[in-house]
Amino acid sequence: MKTRLKKFVSFLLTSVLLALSASALAAGNIKIAIDAEFGIPNATSAQAVRAGAQLAVNEINAAGGLLGRQLEVIERDNRAVPARSLNNLRELAADPDVVAVMCGRYSPVVVEMLPEIHRLKLLMLDPWAAADSITDNDFSPNYVFRLSLRDSWALQVMMRHALKQGYRKVGILLPNTEWGRSSLKAAEETASKDTRQDIVAAKWYNWGDASMIEHYQALRNAEAQAVIFVANDKEAVILVREMAKLPPDQRLPLVAHWGLTGGQFFEQAGAAMKSVDLSVVQTYSFIGKTDAKTKSVLAGLKSITGSDDPRKVVSPVGVAHAYDLVHLLAMAIKKAKTTERTAVRQALENLGPYKGLVRPLDKPFTAKRHDALSINEVFMARFATDGAIEPMLKTKP
């Protein structure tokens, strides 16, 4: 009888161990998904987000992973089409190994997905898209966490930069999207409450327009001294090329939002860049950094992109923001001791200090604040002759 009992107990223990082992194998890697504009011609933003996320995952896996599991980056191409993003998010939400999804640079896509993100209770990490309403979304609990720019910060810095250059009358050229509407609202608030500038006119264009010059000339005819330009790389290339053909006295300075840095703008604009005065808003640059963390990140990037040259990092804000977001997500998973999304969401609101690449964060997020950065990280930059995005000296307005 004792022998039979021992055999039975041994059988039960073996069965339990096998079941636990099978469960662990079934769980697989912890997946961090990226739903972004990979398939758009000349895009570099999604690829930069992927590089930053992969670098952070490599570091975490080398240190032993999380909860006894390795991390994995997976990607879905939405081509900046909301319907494609919707299908992608539903597919990703159905995979229990997906703990969170990162978006790309297109604010209109993310804004349109907000109801579905919250219906699915799917964690969305934002390393680029800047519309204020992405995090100020009125959903409770809020499943979107951003380490990136906000349009309100961008337009404040852009308008102040124009004022520092002596431009009190500005025109605004915007896309007819949520991004454009968010940017115009921020510009108007800055002009009325801060810089006291005159917005002489605002002109709207549609994505896919073949020419921008008519809108630009309308702003110039309204006596704008500079143009606040909200655009991605495709539209920016069109305008810069058209401006380069104008007489020098008809070329107004362009103070640009950062969408154009998410593609091959510099390469596509070519020689026309020499004829146009263009500055662009940014939140991070690898150029000039000598701290150990930046050096370590650049060394890690070499294994992913083939280069550790800070001047050759493509779409640097996407790389830096995604890198920090993955590490914050890892901290939240450790704190929650699970990859269950609602628990990780709550943990993200209660993280301790993190020595980030972009900047140290004492308390990255709170229940009421889902933006990790601040306006203090925002600065203006210019394209150097080699295409590197060089920060301009910060001065008070």
Side-chain angles (χ1 to χ4, degrees), residues 240-274:
V240 167
R241 286 178 174 175
E242 290 180 321
M243 286 179 62
K245 297 176 182 178
L246 298 175
D249 62 351
Q250 292 185 21
R251 301 174 198 158
L252 300 179
L254 297 179
V255 182
H257 208 315
W258 71 355
L260 58 84
T261 67
Q264 295 179 344
F265 164 71
F266 181 82
E267 295 82 355
Q268 295 291 312
M273 284 290 291
K274 298 177 182 179

Side-chain angles (χ1 to χ4, degrees), residues 82-379:
R84 292 179 66 96
S85 183
L86 182 67
N87 290 335
N88 291 344
L89 294 182
R90 287 173 177 170
E91 175 200 340
L92 293 167
D95 184 345
D97 291 332
V98 173
V99 66
V101 180
M102 281 189 172
C103 65
R105 83 174 122 139
Y106 286 88
S107 288
V109 175
V110 184
V111 170
E112 193 163 335
M113 291 303 103
L114 287 172
E116 189 66 7
I117 288 167
H118 288 87
R119 186 190 72 80
L120 294 168
K121 293 182 170 57
L122 183 62
L123 270 173
M124 174 63 72
L125 306 180
D126 179 358
W128 195 300
D132 286 21
S133 58
I134 289 172
T135 47
D136 298 347
N137 56 42
D138 296 327
F139 285 94
S140 182
N142 186 353
Y143 273 80
V144 184
F145 293 82
R146 175 163 53 195
L147 194 152
S148 184
L149 188 61
R150 287 171 62 100
D151 286 335
S152 54
W153 302 339
L155 271 296
Q156 284 181 61
V157 172
M158 291 161 67
M159 295 284 283
R160 290 172 183 172
H161 174 72
L163 184 61
K164 287 180 219 174
Q165 309 307 309
Y167 308 129
R168 301 204 65 88
K169 294 182 177 182
V170 299
I172 306 185
L173 186 52
L174 311 123
N176 188 19
T177 65
E178 176 61 27
W179 183 32
R181 289 184 284 276
S182 175
S183 295
L184 179 60
K185 179 182 177 182
E188 290 174 338
E189 289 181 355
T190 298
S192 64
K193 299 177 181 178
D194 182 5
T195 60
R196 305 298 177 185
Q197 289 160 291
D198 293 327
I199 299 177
V200 296
K203 291 295 177 181
W204 302 88
Y205 64 85
N206 295 311
W207 283 348
D209 284 354
S211 174
M212 310 284 283
I213 198 65
E214 185 177 340
H215 296 314
Y216 168 80
Q217 291 289 26
L219 296 178
R220 198 176 67 81
N221 291 335
E223 300 185 353
Q225 298 169 312
V227 173
I228 303 295
F229 188 32
V230 179
N232 287 308
D233 50 296
K234 182 179 179 181
E235 292 75 27
V237 168
I238 292 170
L239 179 58
V240 167
R241 286 178 174 175
E242 290 180 321
M243 286 179 62
K245 297 176 182 178
L246 298 175
D249 62 351
Q250 292 185 21
R251 301 174 198 158
L252 300 179
L254 297 179
V255 182
H257 208 315
W258 71 355
L260 58 84
T261 67
Q264 295 179 344
F265 164 71
F266 181 82
E267 295 82 355
Q268 295 291 312
M273 284 290 291
K274 298 177 182 179
S275 302
V276 178
D277 176 1
L278 183 144
S279 55
V280 62
V281 74
Q282 294 281 275
T283 53
Y284 182 78
S285 174
F286 288 92
I287 297 173
K289 301 283 177 40
T290 58
D291 60 282
K293 192 172 191 71
T294 303
K295 290 180 179 179
S296 174
V297 168
L298 287 170
L301 277 177
K302 187 171 184 177
S303 66
I304 297 171
T305 66
S307 173
D308 59 359
D309 186 342
R311 301 186 67 84
K312 294 181 179 179
V313 178
V314 178
S315 298
V317 294
V319 175
H321 294 172
Y323 173 86
D324 276 344
L325 271 172
V326 168
H327 276 292
L328 289 173
L329 177 65
M331 288 175 62
I333 292 171
K334 285 182 182 179
K335 185 178 181 66
K337 299 179 181 178
T338 178
T339 57
E340 198 274 322
R341 295 166 194 157
T342 57
V344 176
R345 191 211 71 82
Q346 187 173 3
L348 278 165
E349 293 182 340
N350 294 280
L351 294 178
Y354 165 64
K355 190 176 180 181
L357 174 64
V358 178
R359 75 170 175 91
L361 299 165
D362 291 332
K363 192 168 179 59
F365 306 107
T366 69
K368 295 183 178 180
R369 175 181 53 76
H370 279 211
D371 281 287
L373 301 185
S374 72
I375 195 172
N376 294 327
E377 284 73 66
V378 187
F379 58 90

